[in-house]
Amino acid sequence: MNRRKFIKTLAISGAAISGMPLLGEQFIPFAGAADIPKFSFAHITDLHLDVKGTSTWQHREKSVPLFIDTLRQIGRLHKLKFVLFGGDQVHAGPRDRDSLSVFQAWTRHLDLPYYILLGNTEVSPITGVSTMTREDYLQAWWGRGVSPGRSSWSVEPEKGVHIIGLDVTVDGKPYGEASPASLSWLRNELAASAKARLIIVVTHQLLLPINKEDAQPEGALWMVKNHVAVRDTLEKYPNVRMVISGHHHASKVETVNGITYVADPAIVTYPCAFRVFTVSRDGIHLRNVGLDEKNIVNKARELLLADPYARLYDPENPQNILTFNVGLTEQDRETTIPL
């Protein structure tokens, strides 16, 4: 099936493009951009596909229809150059192989390149329950950036633009950490790309805290443990202008020392959205795109609010978790910063 037919098939049950909710946008200028052709890509993260799964604060019971709805939205976005899947595509558990099959079957219809990062769920099999391992996923996604024995990658989708997928996952752990080998590889990639006009780095876990708890022991599970060392490395290269991450299931945009750190929302957790990036000589335009499945999204909202996680976030006002996930400020959600 070609892309046009795939789009038409998915769109039959969907709302019109004019009804697609936009949750945020921001403009980030960068120097030396005159030679960069305009292009767009999507970052989709934390699907947590779980066939016959049970919902918690993650609406895994409906993870498959949420994924299909996401692809429907992708089909409506014209002229995407590629798609990044940012980790936790498949939830660890007894149906991980079935869930991988769902992912493979539906992404097979995409007629544009897509690249994959591993998330903590892909490297944390449940002993005696899971059937998939890190190497199984690398084998299954061979050619999508990763390959057997190689989980970090670099691509050049346009001349002068480099996308670096940095695997910071740690086997059996929710937090991330860049190993000495990974840091060495990163330094080599950055040095080799020193003449690139723009470098964008993608990780699963965060390199910059998005709330004060992330800097405390109880929030360490969201972070790359040696995030300071990784950021110090990136800051040595002025053409590194953006880091994109997932894992926290929340939206945040913050610029520190010339690098903009973007945390993107999850598909499986309210607000059930992904981010589209448009790169041009004017800057990088960020836009969150929501889904059409309003009943499922509303249920995801209820699940998040009712879960103990909401009270851990704010014991006195647990409803604040909703705003946190969508984005606490206008900049995170609906702000445009002009040049």
Side-chain angles (χ1 to χ4, degrees):
M1 180 183 293
N2 63 32
R3 186 182 185 195
R4 187 174 299 277
K5 291 182 179 178
F6 178 55
I7 294 170
K8 185 175 180 180
T9 301
L10 285 178
I12 290 174
S13 62
I17 183 67
S18 60
M20 187 185 300
L22 307 181
L23 300 180
E25 51 184 57
Q26 179 178 6
F27 233 57
I28 302 164
F30 54 90
D35 296 334
I36 295 177
K38 184 176 181 179
F39 69 94
S40 298
F41 65 92
H43 178 240
I44 300 168
T45 190
D46 295 280
L47 296 166
H48 286 267
L49 287 171
D50 191 5
V51 173
K52 298 180 181 179
T54 301
S55 293
T56 54
W57 63 290
Q58 304 170 4
H59 199 3
R60 294 200 302 272
E61 181 184 353
K62 295 296 183 180
S63 59
V64 173
L66 284 169
F67 173 47
I68 294 171
D69 192 0
T70 301
L71 294 182
R72 179 162 58 240
Q73 307 309 327
I74 289 294
R76 291 169 170 169
L77 296 169
H78 301 296
K79 299 181 180 179
L80 281 182
K81 188 74 176 182
F82 58 92
V83 173
L84 299 173
F85 288 99
D88 286 3
Q89 286 74 233
V90 176
H91 196 75
R95 294 168 294 274
D96 50 8
R97 194 170 296 274
D98 292 337
S99 300
L100 173 64
S101 295
V102 169
F103 181 86
Q104 300 291 72
W106 282 94
T107 53
R108 195 171 294 125
H109 295 295
L110 290 174
D111 69 342
L112 70 165
Y114 64 91
Y115 306 100
I116 295 178
L117 274 177
L118 298 180
N120 52 288
T121 62
E122 282 99 10
V123 304
S124 303
I126 301 172
T127 303
V129 176
S130 298
T131 65
M132 299 288 295
T133 65
R134 170 192 285 267
E135 286 305 317
D136 291 329
Y137 287 112
L138 293 179
Q139 180 71 38
W141 292 328
W142 193 349
R144 302 300 178 180
V146 301
S147 61
R150 190 186 76 169
S151 52
S152 292
W153 45 265
S154 177
V155 296
E156 186 180 21
E158 292 283 359
K159 185 177 180 180
V161 179
H162 287 232
I163 310 292
I164 295 177
L166 177 63
D167 178 27
V168 291
T169 59
V170 179
D171 288 356
K173 304 296 182 181
Y175 61 79
E177 185 171 13
S179 67
S182 293
L183 279 174
S184 177
W185 177 88
L186 176 62
R187 293 187 191 101
N188 289 337
E189 285 296 320
L190 293 171
S193 304
K195 294 183 179 181
R197 294 290 185 179
L198 172 66
I199 298 175
I200 297 174
V201 177
V202 190
T203 65
H204 183 63
Q205 288 91 345
L206 301 173
L207 291 181
L208 189 74
I210 64 174
N211 63 26
K212 61 182 181 181
E213 287 77 17
D214 293 347
Q216 305 300 320
E218 59 269 24
L221 76 161
W222 306 116
M223 298 297 303
V224 175
K225 288 183 69 175
N226 55 342
H227 57 90
V228 174
V230 180
R231 294 207 313 269
D232 286 347
T233 298
L234 298 178
E235 289 173 10
K236 290 180 172 66
Y237 295 85
N239 52 356
V240 177
R241 295 308 311 271
M242 181 173 288
V243 175
I244 304 170
S245 304
H247 189 50
H248 212 315
H249 298 206
S251 296
K252 180 70 175 179
V253 179
E254 183 174 358
T255 300
V256 177
N257 294 334
I259 300 175
T260 299
Y261 295 86
V262 181
D264 280 344
I267 296 299
V268 77
T269 304
Y270 181 80
C272 307
F274 62 95
R275 187 103 64 176
V276 173
F277 300 76
T278 299
V279 179
S280 71
R281 64 169 56 190
D282 297 318
I284 304 175
H285 180 244
L286 314 182
R287 179 164 62 98
N288 279 13
V289 179
L291 304 184
D292 284 339
E293 294 282 2
K294 297 306 179 187
N295 290 336
I296 299 179
V297 173
N298 288 338
K299 181 61 177 180
R301 183 182 185 276
E302 294 175 10
L303 289 166
L304 177 59
L305 186 56
D307 195 85
Y309 175 55
R311 285 158 182 79
L312 286 173
Y313 175 75
D314 190 332
E316 295 184 2
N317 299 290
Q319 69 275 9
N320 286 342
I321 189 65
L322 302 175
T323 307
F324 172 66
N325 274 25
V326 172
L328 287 173
T329 69
E330 288 294 320
Q331 174 174 294
D332 301 320
R333 295 179 281 114
E334 298 182 357
T335 300
T336 298
I337 300 177
L339 294 177

